[in-house]
Amino acid sequence: MVEDKNFPKKYAIIDIETTGGNTKEEKITEIAIFIHDGEKVIQEFSSLINPEKNIPYHITRLTGIDNEMVADAPRFFEVAKEIVEITEDCIFVAHNVGFDYQFVRQEFKSLGFEYKRPTLCTVKMSRALLPGFPSYSLGKLTDRLGIHISARHRAFGDAEATVKLFEILLEKDTGKIQLQLPQAHQYRNHLHPKFQHQDVEALPEDPGVYYFLDEQGQLLYIGKSINIHKRVLSHLYNTKTKKAIQLKSQIVNIDFVSTGNELAALLLESHEIKKNKPPFNRALRRSKFHYQLFAGYNLEGYITFNIAKDDPHGTPIYQFSNRNAAQEFMFQAVEKYDLCQKLSGLYKSQKECFNYTLKRCKGACLGKEEVNAYNQRAQLLLDRFQYDEQNFLLVEDGRQPGEYCLVLVENGVYQGFGYVEKEYYQNDVHYLRDFIQAYENNRDTHRILLSHLRKKKKVRMLKWN
């Protein structure tokens, strides 16, 4: 292995077993730690953990760990101090390190402690140093390398096998492991001389919004991420563009707000950028939408669209910064959904629309096309902007295990979001409204919510008429 005076000498090679895969809901049932100095194992720790919840049958079948085995085992808080001490000044190493590291961090977070260690993934290193293998799962990889696993899917057995794999990787390494590790000195080029490095260390690896501020405390940039710490580091390492270097050179302080989930982070980021208009943010800065798209029915029953600044008889389904943008959108919609220009608010005439003369309109403008046939196509455009439910409360992960995040939509309009402790949660929207902080509804919040609902397969939703 290449020697590097900046490269850490100790590694905590760790494996855990859990009650399931969700870090916010599930718990650790077993942990094993081998401290390695780069040449040999110098310390070991392993223990079953009482998860204080039921271990599902399918997990017991996989690991062999059942409720009876952990009944008298220590709870996590009883071994937490020892885990902190044994891994002090170590690199956290695991096979698919994101899983093990986030579970351990979450256990500490539930105790009110911020556990942070640099990490190293033996899956990534194996791909780099042992190319061409058909699979890089621990079982398949160790089989190919002739590494015996004393107890598969048990923390001690898997961690012991990971140690042997890691030693093979150390032998083959020519500097690639060092390049995988975050070094603070790597991002110091181009930074402001008064940059507060301790702000970076304080950043959580949680979803939320982060803020870059200059020497006078003025906002430079606002961003969001599902991992604030990792995303901020990506900014600080970035020297690929003049804009990135210019931003780095002005940052003095970094602030953040944890949101507990990506949806709340997106909604808060949009609000904060529109409110503060930081100079390095562009896409979401627009806060005024002067023209709006309205939908309705004419006397013949056809769905119609209208572009206007206001319509006292309707609720806008979309918003635009200017009339040209609104008209360009509708021209594209007319072509995509085969709609009538006149009924789409693009062609004012007492007779047929212009497209009808070109045989591009089926004659809805003259009442010649069957109403239901036309409205089916117009509804496809409406569906792009409408929620399946008009009144609902989304229940998302909170900022800590004992909390929910609530996002409220009423009459198809986003109202805001807030947080409630799980012990106070009720399926009563009138009660839960008190926990909602009001935020403005606009085109971007509408788009964010629609995208979330369409991408997420399972949502927890409280609905009412």
Side-chain angles (χ1 to χ4, degrees):
M1 178 177 172
V2 176
E3 291 294 328
D4 184 340
K5 65 181 180 179
N6 295 313
F7 196 58
K9 303 296 184 184
K10 288 169 60 180
Y11 311 88
I13 301 169
I14 298 174
D15 190 83
I16 62 171
E17 302 301 331
T18 69
T19 59
N22 187 329
T23 57
K24 292 288 182 73
E25 301 294 336
E26 306 301 339
K27 305 287 285 182
I28 292 175
T29 59
E30 188 176 35
I31 186 168
I33 304 172
F34 289 82
I35 304 302
H36 200 287
D37 65 1
E39 296 182 358
K40 62 185 180 301
V41 172
I42 58 175
Q43 194 173 357
E44 296 179 15
F45 170 83
S46 65
S47 177
L48 286 166
I49 304 290
N50 185 339
E52 301 183 81
K53 67 178 296 183
N54 181 63
I55 300 175
Y57 175 68
H58 72 277
I59 296 294
T60 295
R61 287 191 63 185
L62 178 68
T63 66
I65 301 172
D66 59 25
N67 294 309
E68 186 177 353
M69 288 175 62
V70 299
D72 296 323
R75 289 165 288 181
F76 188 85
F77 76 86
E78 296 177 276
V79 298
K81 184 173 184 290
E82 190 167 0
I83 293 172
V84 170
E85 291 173 348
I86 196 175
T87 62
E88 189 72 34
D89 299 322
C90 289
I91 302 299
F92 189 112
V93 182
H95 205 69
N96 189 16
V97 71
F99 178 84
D100 301 79
Y101 183 58
Q102 290 306 321
F103 254 102
V104 173
R105 276 180 51 81
Q106 187 63 34
E107 290 279 9
F108 278 105
K109 186 176 180 180
S110 69
L111 302 176
F113 181 83
E114 183 77 7
Y115 180 86
K116 296 181 76 170
R117 300 287 185 270
T119 61
L120 190 60
C121 182
T122 53
V123 174
K124 290 182 180 179
M125 295 314 305
S126 296
R127 291 183 187 278
L129 299 172
L130 304 170
F133 279 54
S135 171
Y136 289 89
S137 69
L138 185 62
K140 298 287 181 63
L141 195 57
T142 51
D143 281 346
R144 291 289 295 264
L145 294 172
I147 297 172
H148 173 67
I149 301 181
S150 59
R152 186 73 177 103
H153 296 301
R154 289 296 301 270
F156 188 90
D158 285 351
E160 186 179 42
T162 305
V163 169
K164 295 173 182 176
L165 169 63
F166 187 63
E167 289 175 340
I168 292 173
L169 296 174
L170 289 180
E171 286 295 321
K172 290 185 172 291
D173 180 45
T174 56
K176 292 183 180 180
I177 287 180
Q178 288 93 321
L179 294 176
Q180 292 289 320
L181 290 168
Q183 303 287 341
H185 66 272
Q186 291 178 353
Y187 66 69
R188 289 183 178 173
N189 292 337
H190 308 292
L191 283 178
H192 193 284
K194 293 184 179 180
F195 178 78
Q196 300 297 306
H197 292 276
Q198 66 269 24
D199 285 356
V200 179
E201 295 305 312
L203 296 172
E205 297 191 2
D206 298 324
V209 174
Y210 56 91
Y211 306 78
F212 293 157
L213 300 97
D214 66 13
E215 188 174 2
Q216 287 73 43
Q218 299 297 311
L219 278 168
L220 297 167
Y221 181 84
I222 298 173
K224 71 88 192 170
S225 178
I226 58 173
N227 185 324
I228 297 173
H229 185 267
K230 185 175 181 180
R231 184 70 184 94
V232 168
L233 283 178
S234 73
H235 283 284
L236 299 180
Y237 289 131
N238 188 0
T239 56
K240 294 181 179 179
T241 66
K242 289 183 179 180
K243 182 180 177 181
I245 295 172
Q246 184 183 4
L247 174 60
K248 283 180 60 174
S249 69
Q250 296 182 43
I251 301 170
V252 171
N253 288 107
I254 303 171
D255 201 358
F256 69 91
V257 174
S258 293
T259 60
N261 62 84
E262 185 178 20
L263 175 59
L266 284 163
L267 292 169
L268 181 61
E269 177 201 35
S270 176
H271 168 81
E272 291 284 74
I273 291 174
K274 287 177 170 57
K275 175 184 175 183
N276 296 288
K277 296 181 173 59
F280 284 87
N281 288 100
R282 296 291 180 187
L284 294 175
R285 284 180 60 178
R286 184 177 293 115
S287 58
K288 293 183 179 180
F289 300 96
H290 299 289
Y291 284 85
Q292 304 179 93
L293 180 64
F294 296 88
Y297 291 88
N298 65 10
L299 294 176
E300 288 76 31
Y302 292 100
I303 293 175
T304 62
F305 297 96
N306 180 44
I307 298 168
K309 287 189 174 182
D310 192 21
D311 184 342
H313 303 295
T315 301
I317 61 173
Y318 205 56
Q319 299 170 313
F320 302 90
S321 57
N322 55 66
R323 179 180 285 277
N324 286 341
Q327 289 180 331
E328 178 61 28
F329 175 87
M330 282 309 299
F331 274 117
Q332 293 178 10
V334 164
E335 183 174 348
K336 181 175 181 178
Y337 298 107
D338 198 13
L339 302 180
C340 172
Q341 289 179 317
K342 182 178 175 181
L343 299 185
S344 299
L346 296 174
Y347 194 84
K348 292 184 178 180
S349 171
Q350 297 298 319
K351 299 179 181 179
E352 69 276 5
C353 70
F354 181 69
N355 271 356
Y356 181 77
T357 64
L358 300 177
K359 297 184 179 180
R360 294 178 183 171
C361 171
K362 298 183 181 354
C365 45
L366 297 174
K368 291 186 176 182
E369 183 178 5
E370 199 272 320
V371 172
N372 288 336
Y374 181 84
N375 285 352
Q376 284 180 5
R377 300 196 305 277
Q379 187 63 46
L380 295 175
L381 176 57
L382 281 174
D383 289 344
R384 287 180 56 180
F385 309 114
Q386 293 181 342
Y387 305 115
D388 292 338
E389 305 288 339
Q390 291 299 292
N391 297 289
F392 60 90
L393 189 75
L394 291 176
V395 183
E396 299 285 324
D397 290 336
R399 298 161 295 189
Q400 51 202 18
E403 183 180 68
Y404 286 131
C405 175
L406 309 174
V407 182
L408 179 64
V409 172
E410 287 187 298
N411 299 317
V413 178
Y414 165 65
Q415 304 294 324
F417 71 91
Y419 297 90
V420 61
E421 293 182 28
K422 289 182 179 180
E423 62 180 302
Y424 298 122
Y425 177 82
Q426 302 175 17
N427 287 325
D428 181 352
V429 69
H430 300 291
Y431 166 76
L432 294 176
R433 254 197 212 98
D434 291 339
F435 296 93
I436 301 297
Q437 180 177 342
Y439 287 99
E440 180 186 3
N441 176 69
N442 55 53
R443 182 182 71 187
D444 292 318
T445 57
H446 193 80
R447 174 184 52 79
I448 289 167
L449 281 164
L450 277 176
S451 176
H452 175 79
L453 290 169
R454 288 168 182 170
K455 285 193 303 184
K456 198 168 182 181
K457 293 180 179 179
K458 292 183 178 180
V459 295
R460 181 170 180 177
M461 181 185 292
L462 178 61
K463 300 177 285 187
W464 68 97
N465 294 323

